[in-house]
Amino acid sequence: MYNFASNYCILKINTGNVDFQKELFDIYKQTVKTETVLRNGKLTGWDYKNISTLGCHLGEFNWTYHLIESHKDKLLQSHQNNAYNYSLAYYHFTKKDYDKASSLLLQVQFTEMQYHMGGNLLLMRSYYELENLDALFSLLESMRIYAIRSKKMTTKEKRGYKNLLRFAKRLVTIKSEKIALTQKDFLKKINKLLEEINGTENIYAKSWLVSKCNDLAA
């Protein structure tokens, strides 16, 4: 019954009804409380990551941090290090401790595509906030090469990934040029970038790109 209810909430969320995020989180909390989330006494890395990231997204920090620490030993051994480091990194990122988040992400072994994409996107955002431009440009290039070479990504995923990287590189470049531009020219570049982002449908982390453009234009 929990699976049916959670799948229904996920379906609603995927169609844009974000109100169901709280409903889904309440279901997750109940499955943790009753231990129905466990399978043969163990927790999968994906369940652990999904619950903790949703908890952080909703600002349920105390409960989520307790889950991350108290259920680490319940993770399948093959998932433990990656799931723990990624989930704790996401927690610290959401709390705006970008140094801690990036340090933890560097310990994640990107052996699976979902960890590779999710971890690098989070690391990209951390480097941006830390204004670590050298590391950020290097990461963007390695992500671009990964997207080109990956045989596990669909064509749609590759396009969404490439669009993100293209716009992110322009965003960082414009930000770094701010000191050398007049306010008028700077705003012209940012607004043009924002217009192109909003006019492109298939982009990973689109809301993040829009948010950062708006911050610079403010």
Side-chain angles (χ1 to χ4, degrees):
M1 292 302 294
Y2 286 134
N3 284 336
F4 282 127
S6 61
N7 286 338
Y8 178 78
C9 289
I10 291 168
L11 178 63
K12 288 293 186 179
I13 293 166
N14 288 340
T15 58
N17 195 333
V18 295
D19 290 341
F20 277 85
Q21 290 178 338
K22 183 63 169 64
E23 298 287 342
L24 178 60
F25 186 64
D26 287 341
I27 294 168
Y28 282 155
K29 287 174 71 174
Q30 189 64 19
T31 63
V32 170
K33 181 179 179 180
T34 59
E35 296 192 341
T36 49
V37 72
L38 302 179
R39 304 173 190 178
N40 298 318
K42 292 294 182 180
L43 181 62
T44 70
W46 296 118
D47 285 336
Y48 180 83
K49 181 176 74 71
N50 290 339
I51 296 170
S52 59
T53 52
L54 180 58
C56 289
H57 179 72
L58 293 173
E60 298 279 353
F61 295 117
N62 291 337
W63 186 91
T64 302
Y65 182 77
H66 177 73
L67 170 81
I68 291 170
E69 294 296 342
S70 65
H71 283 65
K72 177 184 178 182
D73 292 338
K74 292 183 173 66
L75 287 165
L76 294 168
Q77 192 65 36
S78 58
H79 295 180
Q80 191 173 91
N81 289 334
N82 273 350
Y84 175 75
N85 287 324
Y86 180 91
S87 299
L88 193 57
Y90 195 93
Y91 168 84
H92 285 293
F93 176 86
T94 314
K95 298 279 283 184
K96 298 185 177 182
D97 187 349
Y98 305 116
D99 277 316
K100 184 66 174 177
S102 57
S103 176
L104 286 162
L105 285 167
L106 292 174
Q107 298 178 51
V108 176
Q109 299 295 314
F110 297 140
T111 54
E112 298 172 82
M113 187 185 74
Q114 289 85 353
Y115 272 120
H116 197 286
M117 292 175 65
N120 275 331
L121 289 176
L122 198 55
L123 190 57
M124 177 194 74
R125 292 160 66 187
S126 296
Y127 283 157
Y128 181 89
E129 299 298 340
L130 291 168
E131 298 189 351
N132 190 343
L133 299 187
D134 288 341
L136 180 51
F137 278 121
S138 176
L139 177 64
L140 291 174
E141 180 60 16
S142 68
M143 292 167 72
R144 186 187 69 83
I145 292 171
Y146 177 84
I148 292 172
R149 294 178 177 175
S150 177
K151 296 180 180 179
K152 295 182 179 180
M153 283 190 198
T154 64
T155 301
K156 183 178 180 181
E157 287 172 333
K158 282 177 178 281
R159 175 55 56 190
Y161 208 30
K162 289 177 182 177
N163 283 335
L164 162 65
L165 299 173
R166 176 166 57 90
F167 287 129
K169 188 173 182 179
R170 283 179 59 191
L171 171 67
V172 178
T173 300
I174 294 170
K175 183 180 181 182
S176 67
E177 293 174 344
K178 183 176 183 179
I179 193 171
L181 296 172
T182 65
Q183 182 70 0
K184 181 180 179 180
D185 287 341
F186 177 73
L187 289 176
K188 184 178 179 180
K189 285 194 171 189
I190 282 294
N191 288 329
K192 184 175 186 298
L193 175 59
L194 183 58
E195 182 181 349
E196 290 182 34
I197 292 170
N198 283 325
T200 305
E201 291 187 6
N202 184 11
I203 312 176
Y204 281 113
K206 184 174 184 175
S207 61
W208 178 79
L209 288 168
V210 169
S211 172
K212 294 304 148 185
C213 285
N214 286 330
D215 287 347
L216 291 176

